[in-house]
Amino acid sequence: MNAREEFSAALAVTAVGTGLGFASGRTQAVFCTQTGRASWIGAVFAALAFGLLAAMLAHLKRRTGAERFPGVYRRLLGCHAGGLIGGLYAAALVVAGALLLASAAKTGALVLPLRNAALWGALAALLLAGWIAVLGLRALEAVGGAYLLLLLLLEAALWIFGRDPDPSRLQFAVDLRLRDSVAAALALGLLSACMSTALSAGVAVRACTGRTGPWGFGLFCALLFLLVNLAGNAALRCRCDEILSLRTPFAALAAQWGTTGFFICAGMTFLGTSVALAGVFLSLLRRKNGRCGARRDVKF
């Protein structure tokens, strides 16, 4: 077991998995906070599921010796079935990349005082993500670690100092139909973990090596995912229910800080989007030319 290597890999994987929607608070609002008091159960269950899925990916990496996520299925199921699954996964990553670029474009349109600001925002995310991907996993681990730290600090600040937006601007009411539903909290937590795993699975296979212990790696992923979920849920739970229906709840909570708060939230959203997009690029890049490798079983 190499705890430092496992933690570094977990930083990259968790950063990519939380890159879409977490920095704005939208994901926590939809998949966690809307269940009320049961949201704490959902947050813990989501982290547990994310950690177990990450450990499973690390185990499959050690068992097959594959360098990329589609290679895991090729070596387990054969070239044809594995190739089909790999193609479907690549298509899913392309869709995820399009969503990430759309998020960067929206951020650029809101922040940049330029013509075609949305296009410039998407281009900036492409350049930053491409730069991280070219530098490799070490760069993704460093930038991803910085992103997770800043996200946790933002969530903590919003939890302690954040305030509800001006009630006069919230001309609607919210009825939380899933409030205090444990079953809904568990289902939404599992769905959140699966979505984050799907986005980061390719990075997990690349980041894990023969020295990466599956259980240690999964534990670090679970702890990081739990911290992000708990801090975000705490920031949203102590505010009015109407905040949960907004597209960017964190930006609304930071409105008391004026323009500074808006730019902080926008910058975090852009950084998270770029990190996740870099993970998509790394997942799609090939290391070897060969399509099918020999299966290699490793017992541990």
Side-chain angles (χ1 to χ4, degrees), residues 15-209:
V16 172
T18 59
L20 181 59
F22 279 80
S24 66
R26 185 59 183 162
T27 298
Q28 295 94 315
V30 172
F31 292 101
C32 191
T33 311
Q34 69 161 315
T35 58
R37 290 176 296 180
S39 60
W40 303 110
I41 299 175
V44 174
F45 185 69
L48 178 62
F50 184 71
L52 288 174
L53 290 171
M56 181 193 70
L57 289 171
H59 164 65
L60 292 176
K61 167 65 179 286
R62 293 186 68 177
R63 179 182 175 185
T64 62
E67 297 294 335
R68 297 174 62 242
F69 183 65
V72 171
Y73 286 98
R74 288 194 182 102
R75 297 187 181 187
L76 289 175
L77 304 177
C79 282
H80 298 295
L84 175 61
I85 294 176
L88 292 174
Y89 181 66
L93 286 180
V94 170
V95 173
L99 292 174
L100 291 166
L101 283 177
S103 176
K106 290 179 181 178
T107 303
L110 292 172
V111 172
L112 299 177
L114 302 171
R115 293 185 60 184
N116 300 317
L119 179 61
W120 283 109
L123 181 60
L126 272 175
L127 291 175
L128 179 57
W131 176 71
I132 296 172
V134 168
L135 292 179
L137 277 171
R138 296 302 179 191
L140 181 60
E141 291 169 359
V143 178
Y147 159 69
L148 288 177
L149 176 60
L150 292 173
L151 177 58
L152 287 172
L153 290 175
L154 174 63
E155 290 176 332
L158 293 176
W159 175 27
I160 299 172
F161 303 110
R163 296 179 183 176
D164 288 328
D166 185 356
S168 63
R169 298 185 179 183
L170 300 176
Q171 302 295 332
F172 56 88
V174 172
D175 180 18
L176 299 181
R177 301 292 181 88
L178 300 179
R179 188 192 299 273
D180 301 336
S181 172
V182 175
L186 294 176
L188 289 171
L190 179 60
L191 181 59
S192 174
C194 289
M195 291 177 61
S196 295
T197 303
L199 185 59
S200 60
V203 175
V205 173
R206 278 185 176 267
C208 293
T209 66

